[in-house]
Amino acid sequence: MAHLLSPSCSLDISSSSKLYCKQSIQGSKVIPSSFMLQTFNAPIGRLVLQGKRLQRSSCIVRATTLPISQEAKTQPSSGSHDTSSGPSERKKVMVIGGDGYCGWATALHLSNKNYEVSIVDSLVRRLFDHQLGLDSLTPISSIHNRIRRWKSETGKNIQLYIGDICDFEFLSETFESFKPDAVVHFGEQRSAPYSMIDRCRAVFTQKNNVIGTLNVLFAIKEFGEDCHLVKLGTMGEYGTPNIDIEEGYITITHNGRTDTLPYPKQASSFYHLSKVHDSNNIAFTCKAWGIRATDLNQGVVYGVRTDETEMHEELCNRFDYDGVFGTALNRFCVQAAVGHPLTVYGKGGQTRGYLDIRDTIQCVELAIANPAQRGEFRVFNQFTEQFSVNELASLVTKAGEKLGLKVQTLSVPNPRVEAEEHYYNAKHTKLVELGLKPHLLSDSLIDSLLNFAIKFEDRIDAKQIMPSVFWRKIGVKPKTVAA
């Protein structure tokens, strides 16, 4: 048995000068690339690479692709998208967590729409996979190779800032360097099961998420007071109340008096609780400092492909199917592809909002194009359809049978503490009013996901299919995994 690594370490790149280099560092390997590496005299914070602890240093690593003239064969391909429909004046958008599932698709989409985009990421999500022995169903290129490929395919630059937003000196230097008009904040530990593994990960989740978001709020106040914060929240903040879920606020009458108040929150994990804390902090700073913010309470996202990620295999997005990061629909499609029964937790009546990854990026773009007012904290419920776990299992079963798969369903003990049968009716009209055109879940999309799982069947680790994190069994000691 080997202890899982502590979710923090440091990077040492000691320099205070600018230099052009033809190599990038990934863990202990040197990988050829074409990047300009700029370093500054400011702490980089606690950056995680391959789980290896390196000595702390004073610098910021900022990597951007070289001009086209200095790269070999980097002219846009004949298949590059027309971006003439983008904004006439290029807005600068900083995507925090841009190496992750939602962040990567969003960064490419905004770049393709002619926004000037930067990615800020500590690369810690990649370490989580190393810690837990997990891997994306799809092969994922390094962030440096991803950005270089995007430049090659489109001729467009995406700036890269590698560092931890919990280090305010790093974040402030990044804000002053890029000067964003909008910040899209995906840079949080986003898994409820991960936050329930042990005390260490519960603490990490809340520290990373709450302090990181606080730092972003202070950075906006100090360095870009007119900057619009687009923050990814979660529908999980609401829980499953026995009344309709409104969009952020509810008007109530009590003892003859009426007021509009924030909708009550009933978080169901340490991860969801961190999101509730974020919402409260953002609402307060909008009121106190005049910050403009949009909280996107997102449902469960499914899908892999967007127009941009389809342009080259190196641009492919993550596909998580394990019990820690995998969502229900992704897990069911992989299970069906390998002949494993679909694992329905408990009674299967748990109902949530769902949306396609293409609608995630569409919603973010709509929020940026229609910013909140100064001092306004607005909340959009970001999903397009509601399904129970049993309904999803039925849809995958029918789609699998059409492809000749023998799909069975298995009820397993629910690892979570949640209602397994409940009322659920959430409002989601504000984004539609702004122009959202949903991609609804269809048989053809489920067929596509199943075929995707079949294509990468040799990368499926059957040991990761069953749930491994149980809410009631969380303890103080760090969990271990087999070596």
Side-chain angles (χ1 to χ4, degrees):
M1 303 289 285
H3 283 279
L4 294 179
L5 301 173
S6 173
S8 63
C9 64
S10 302
L11 173 68
D12 180 18
I13 302 179
S14 300
S15 174
S16 60
S17 62
K18 296 183 180 180
L19 62 134
Y20 287 92
C21 66
K22 293 292 182 178
Q23 296 176 333
S24 65
I25 300 174
Q26 183 179 16
S28 59
K29 297 181 180 179
V30 178
I31 301 178
S33 63
S34 296
F35 284 92
M36 178 177 68
L37 183 66
Q38 296 181 331
T39 59
F40 303 83
N41 285 327
I44 190 171
R46 296 150 65 91
L47 175 65
V48 187
L49 285 178
Q50 303 290 341
K52 183 176 181 180
R53 180 172 292 277
L54 301 173
Q55 188 176 2
R56 187 181 178 93
S57 175
S58 295
C59 72
I60 282 182
V61 181
R62 177 190 177 202
T64 60
T65 51
L66 288 169
I68 294 178
S69 61
Q70 298 187 45
E71 292 185 350
K73 299 180 180 180
T74 58
Q75 295 295 331
S77 68
S78 59
S80 297
H81 290 197
D82 179 11
T83 60
S84 59
S85 60
S88 56
E89 294 184 6
R90 296 186 72 195
K91 284 188 176 181
K92 302 177 75 171
V93 181
M94 176 184 290
V95 182
I96 301 175
D99 188 43
Y101 172 56
C102 291
W104 176 242
T106 299
L108 293 190
H109 179 73
L110 293 175
S111 178
N112 206 32
K113 290 291 186 177
N114 209 35
Y115 289 89
E116 186 175 344
V117 176
S118 69
I119 286 175
V120 178
D121 207 298
S122 68
L123 309 185
V124 71
R125 175 63 185 88
R126 295 174 182 258
L127 176 64
F128 294 159
D129 280 351
H130 291 297
Q131 288 179 326
L132 300 174
L134 309 176
D135 203 357
S136 165
L137 179 68
T138 52
I140 301 298
S141 296
S142 72
I143 185 61
H144 302 86
N145 287 341
R146 281 175 152 188
I147 291 176
R148 184 181 61 193
R149 175 55 61 184
W150 178 247
K151 174 67 178 293
S152 176
E153 293 294 312
T154 66
K156 296 179 179 296
N157 285 311
I158 293 179
Q159 296 185 47
L160 174 63
Y161 297 83
I162 300 175
D164 187 350
I165 64 171
C166 288
D167 183 333
F168 188 71
E169 292 179 83
F170 160 74
L171 184 62
S172 61
E173 182 72 32
T174 302
F175 257 77
E176 290 186 288
S177 173
F178 186 67
K179 297 178 172 61
D181 299 302
V183 171
V184 181
H185 184 11
F186 291 114
E188 298 193 307
Q189 193 294 102
R190 57 93 171 168
S191 165
Y194 187 89
S195 75
M196 301 299 295
I197 292 176
D198 52 36
R199 184 205 65 85
C200 177
R201 290 173 177 82
V203 171
F204 171 81
T205 297
Q206 297 220 350
K207 180 180 178 182
N208 180 81
N209 294 2
V210 177
I211 293 179
T213 298
L214 268 175
N215 279 348
V216 172
L217 292 168
F218 273 97
I220 291 173
K221 179 180 184 293
E222 294 298 316
F223 307 112
E225 61 181 13
D226 203 44
C227 180
H228 177 208
L229 173 62
V230 180
K231 167 68 163 58
L232 188 71
T234 171
M235 291 296 295
E237 291 186 36
Y238 299 120
T240 54
N242 199 38
I243 59 174
D244 291 353
I245 297 174
E246 306 296 333
E247 295 198 71
Y249 298 89
I250 186 170
T251 300
I252 62 172
T253 299
H254 179 65
N255 290 342
R257 301 187 67 84
T258 300
D259 201 354
T260 298
L261 303 169
Y263 197 96
K265 306 298 177 67
Q266 300 181 70
S268 60
S269 72
F270 289 119
Y271 156 72
H272 290 105
L273 283 164
S274 75
K275 291 288 196 175
V276 173
H277 301 329
D278 288 339
S279 295
N280 290 332
N281 285 336
I282 297 170
F284 170 73
T285 54
C286 286
K287 181 179 180 179
W289 302 339
I291 285 176
R292 60 177 79 219
T294 301
D295 200 4
L296 300 176
N297 280 344
Q298 183 167 256
V300 183
V301 187
Y302 57 81
V304 181
R305 295 184 172 95
T306 65
D307 289 344
E308 291 77 23
T309 62
E310 284 283 86
M311 293 170 65
H312 192 277
E313 61 182 7
E314 276 193 299
L315 302 177
C316 186
N317 210 344
R318 299 188 64 91
F319 189 109
D320 294 311
Y321 64 91
D322 58 89
V324 177
F325 292 100
T327 55
L329 185 58
N330 282 1
R331 289 191 295 106
F332 287 170
C333 288
V334 167
Q335 290 165 5
V338 298
H340 191 286
L342 309 187
T343 53
V344 173
Y345 293 171
K347 296 179 181 178
Q350 303 93 320
T351 301
R352 302 290 186 269
Y354 288 80
L355 76 162
D356 191 299
I357 183 67
R358 292 171 293 180
D359 291 339
T360 290
I361 61 179
Q362 189 184 168
C363 291
V364 172
E365 184 186 4
L366 285 169
I368 293 171
N370 302 276
Q373 299 299 313
R374 289 293 301 271
E376 180 185 10
F377 176 57
R378 63 182 184 180
V379 181
F380 297 159
N381 290 345
Q382 183 171 300
F383 69 96
T384 57
E385 297 176 277
Q386 294 181 176
F387 297 102
S388 70
V389 174
N390 285 331
E391 288 171 334
L392 288 180
S394 177
L395 290 171
V396 172
T397 297
K398 292 177 182 178
E401 289 173 348
K402 291 180 181 179
L403 296 177
L405 301 174
K406 294 182 179 180
V407 185
Q408 296 179 324
T409 299
L410 174 67
S411 177
V412 301
N414 193 346
R416 306 186 179 208
V417 177
E418 61 184 358
E420 295 177 1
E421 294 177 319
H422 56 84
Y423 176 80
Y424 197 84
N425 184 36
K427 307 295 180 62
H428 56 113
T429 61
K430 293 181 181 179
L431 283 163
V432 174
E433 291 169 357
L434 286 179
L436 172 64
K437 301 185 186 305
H439 297 82
L440 300 181
L441 184 60
S442 63
D443 290 343
S444 61
L445 180 65
I446 296 177
D447 289 348
S448 174
L449 290 173
L450 285 168
N451 282 313
F452 204 82
I454 293 170
K455 175 182 177 182
F456 292 101
E457 184 177 357
D458 62 332
R459 290 178 56 85
I460 297 174
D461 181 1
K463 297 190 298 295
Q464 305 299 336
I465 288 178
M466 297 299 290
S468 58
V469 181
F470 297 86
W471 267 226
R472 297 189 189 277
K473 295 183 179 180
I474 187 172
V476 170
K477 294 182 178 180
K479 292 290 181 68
T480 58
V481 294

